[in-house]
Amino acid sequence: MKITIIGSGYVGLVSGACFAQMGNTVTCVDIDQQKIKNLIQGIVPIYEPGLEDLIIENSKKGSLQFSTDLNNTIKEAQLVFVAVGTPMGADGSADLQYVLSVAKSIGKHIESYTVIVDKSTVPVGTADKVKMVVQTELDKRNCKASFDVVSNPEFLKEGAAIDDFMFPDRVVVGANSEKSLSIMRELYAPFMKNHDRLISMDVRSAEMTKYAANAMLATKISFINEMSNICELVGADINKVRNGIGSDDRIGYSFIYPGCGYGGSCFPKDVQALAKTAKDYGYTPNLLDAVELVNKAQKHIISNKVIKQFGGNLQGKIFAVWGLAFKPGTDDMREASAITIINELTKRGAKIQAYDPKARAEAKNHYLKGNDSVAYMDEKYQALKGADALILITEWLEFRSPDFERIKNNLKTNLFFDGRNQFDKDRMQKLGFNYQQIGVRSD
């Protein structure tokens, strides 16, 4: 099939590379000329395991191309995927200006039947707005081309997106016509050779499914973090409580790891956008509001522990930080807990020596740009030299089995603040650390 994907960000690039890998002819389009120039040269703007290799391989085959030419790429495509950003507005709603701008361009250029696929995470009812915009443009030029708007939300985990796309646990397709649904089935058939995992439904239900899924996962995280805070107050151990409740099949272990809050491009934005949608329809989403409230507070847990230990004036203090990305396996720092923690400490006078295997450039050039109190290290042990404490924020694999003696020998003190509960407290105390984690009372 001939596919055009508009928006060459995270979702667009992963989708484009994977569709091309299955033999489709894919063109990824973006208005950012430098980004497209780099992609043509094999320079990928994001870190995602396996993505660069897939892009280079399919570019060489000619099955994956990159362009800034919306006009011709839309005309030639059987399917046009909309994968542009939907940033959060000031009121928490999803900003649809880019989606609707793309819809306008599609309406200006399609000449024959086209399936328009909303891949971006969009509020319920967006497909109707896209349809209206496209039809308006067709009417302006008296074009009789027919089209369908389909919702096909992505469920990709950053750090495992290629596997998630190539071996999906489900593919949700919201379609209001049998013709468009049949085309989507054909497109995804190569990804489902073992058994059919395509779930078809109406468009609005598909749009809602994406938000409901992310809201559910965010709820589990905020729930376990709420429990961790109660555990710390009453003298219980959240790690043991987690094992106790996770063994119940109705609950399970997934997404009940206590920590210093969730981040990324999806959960914070989607929880607030869904809450805003509910309020627009006259419903007060108390649970969703609480999920977001708990998460915002949780991002201050580690900095509060540091302040409790050292006092409010941190002038002259140096802290080693391991991990900047919002999760391991990515360089994405959108809404990362590290931003809150580092800014809170540096505004009180602290200096930070930070190490992250992938997110250094993102921090330095964007999310912590202008914060002169942060120094970026090339190696994790380098960040420890002369530091008053170690703060672990992102649970990268290379942090799971560190040289603990080397840590102690490089730090000024034995203080270790663990924002992801990576180690056993009793073991760490035997090793001589003043080890402070989430949801466990400090002695």
Side-chain angles (χ1 to χ4, degrees):
M1 290 187 180
K2 287 188 176 181
I3 302 169
T4 290
I5 298 179
I6 303 175
S8 298
Y10 181 81
V11 173
L13 289 176
V14 171
S15 302
C18 292
F19 282 139
Q21 183 73 3
M22 289 301 187
N24 298 288
T25 301
V26 181
T27 303
C28 290
V29 183
D30 203 283
I31 60 172
D32 187 333
Q33 294 186 359
Q34 188 59 51
K35 178 190 285 187
I36 293 299
K37 188 180 293 185
N38 288 342
L39 284 165
I40 291 171
Q41 296 172 358
I43 301 171
V44 182
I46 58 171
Y47 173 73
E48 177 62 38
L51 178 59
E52 183 176 315
D53 291 341
L54 214 55
I55 286 175
I56 292 172
E57 176 187 343
N58 286 284
S59 294
K60 288 180 179 178
K61 290 178 182 177
S63 56
L64 180 60
Q65 300 173 347
F66 301 97
S67 176
T68 57
D69 181 4
L70 267 177
N71 189 335
N72 290 317
T73 53
I74 289 174
K75 283 181 181 178
E76 297 168 1
Q78 297 165 271
L79 298 103
V80 177
F81 279 77
V82 181
V84 294
T86 53
M88 185 167 59
D91 61 355
S93 63
D95 186 345
L96 296 178
Q97 63 172 310
Y98 304 115
V99 171
L100 298 181
S101 176
V102 167
K104 191 172 184 178
S105 296
I106 294 171
K108 287 181 177 179
H109 299 303
I110 60 171
E111 295 180 345
S112 58
Y113 178 74
T114 305
V115 178
I116 302 166
V117 186
D118 278 339
K119 199 70 175 170
S120 302
T121 301
V122 293
V124 176
T126 298
D128 294 336
K129 294 179 181 179
V130 169
K131 184 176 181 179
M132 187 182 304
V133 170
V134 173
Q135 189 61 58
T136 297
E137 293 302 318
L138 288 173
D139 292 343
K140 284 180 182 178
R141 57 191 179 99
N142 199 28
C143 178
K144 302 300 182 185
S146 60
F147 67 95
D148 281 306
V149 180
V150 168
S151 175
N152 176 217
E154 54 85 13
F155 298 97
L156 306 176
K157 298 186 295 292
E158 292 193 43
I162 300 300
D163 280 349
D164 285 348
F165 202 104
M166 298 296 285
F167 310 101
D169 50 15
R170 85 283 209 193
V171 173
V172 172
V173 174
N176 292 335
S177 80
E178 193 55 46
K179 184 176 183 179
S180 60
L181 178 58
S182 176
I183 291 172
M184 293 298 288
R185 284 191 183 280
E186 181 182 348
L187 174 65
Y188 278 106
F191 298 92
M192 302 181 188
K193 287 300 183 183
N194 288 334
H195 64 278
D196 187 7
R197 294 183 293 281
L198 190 145
I199 304 170
S200 62
M201 58 185 72
D202 62 276
V203 173
R204 287 191 168 226
S205 294
E207 291 171 333
M208 184 65 181
T209 296
K210 170 66 174 180
Y211 278 108
N214 281 349
M216 181 69 232
L217 297 175
T219 299
K220 293 187 74 174
I221 295 171
S222 281
F223 171 80
I224 200 66
N225 283 334
E226 184 98 300
M227 292 303 103
S228 74
N229 296 333
I230 297 173
C231 283
E232 193 162 341
L233 291 171
V234 302
D237 185 331
I238 188 59
N239 303 301
K240 295 172 182 177
V241 172
R242 177 188 172 274
N243 285 330
I245 65 174
S247 59
D248 186 328
D249 289 340
R250 296 170 300 174
I251 299 172
Y253 293 103
S254 297
F255 285 83
I256 58 167
Y257 291 90
C260 49
Y262 60 73
S265 64
C266 294
F267 289 2
K269 175 172 69 71
D270 293 353
V271 169
Q272 291 180 63
L274 182 55
K276 178 62 167 58
T277 297
K279 291 168 186 175
D280 287 344
Y281 280 82
Y283 180 78
T284 302
N286 294 316
L287 180 58
L288 294 178
D289 287 343
V291 167
E292 180 62 17
L293 188 65
V294 168
N295 189 60
K296 284 183 176 179
Q298 198 68 17
K299 291 183 178 183
H300 292 274
I301 290 291
I302 287 296
S303 55
N304 288 343
K305 286 179 178 288
V306 173
I307 292 164
K308 182 179 179 181
Q309 185 74 38
F310 290 95
N313 184 353
L314 298 177
Q315 291 286 343
K317 300 300 180 184
I318 300 172
F319 299 105
V321 168
W322 280 5
L324 297 167
F326 88 92
K327 63 178 284 188
T330 181
D331 61 352
D332 194 344
M333 281 192 65
R334 285 173 287 186
E335 303 287 336
S337 299
I339 300 170
T340 301
I341 294 167
I342 289 173
N343 284 337
E344 183 65 30
L345 297 179
T346 57
K347 81 176 185 181
R348 294 172 180 271
K351 300 288 186 182
I352 302 294
Q353 296 175 171
Y355 168 75
D356 188 289
K358 295 297 177 183
R360 172 177 176 163
E362 285 294 299
K364 189 173 184 179
N365 299 329
H366 300 289
Y367 297 97
L368 294 171
K369 185 178 181 180
N371 191 334
D372 297 330
S373 296
V374 183
Y376 300 93
M377 304 299 163
D378 296 324
E379 187 267 337
K380 61 179 180 285
Y381 296 112
Q382 184 185 7
L384 303 171
K385 293 179 181 177
D388 292 280
L390 169 59
I391 303 171
L392 191 154
I393 300 176
T394 313
E395 64 275 31
W396 286 94
L397 290 178
E398 67 174 273
F399 301 152
R400 288 194 179 181
S401 296
D403 185 332
F404 291 110
E405 283 302 313
R406 193 171 176 184
I407 293 174
K408 285 194 297 182
N409 290 338
N410 278 281
L411 291 176
K412 287 182 182 177
T413 72
N414 64 346
L415 276 164
F416 189 147
F417 298 92
D418 187 350
R420 299 297 174 186
N421 288 16
Q422 290 293 283
F423 306 108
D424 177 74
K425 182 180 179 182
D426 291 339
R427 180 195 176 204
M428 295 298 285
Q429 288 178 334
K430 287 178 182 177
L431 288 171
F433 286 98
N434 179 349
Y435 180 66
Q436 300 190 29
Q437 56 182 178
I438 306 290
V440 182
R441 182 183 289 174
S442 300
D443 296 331

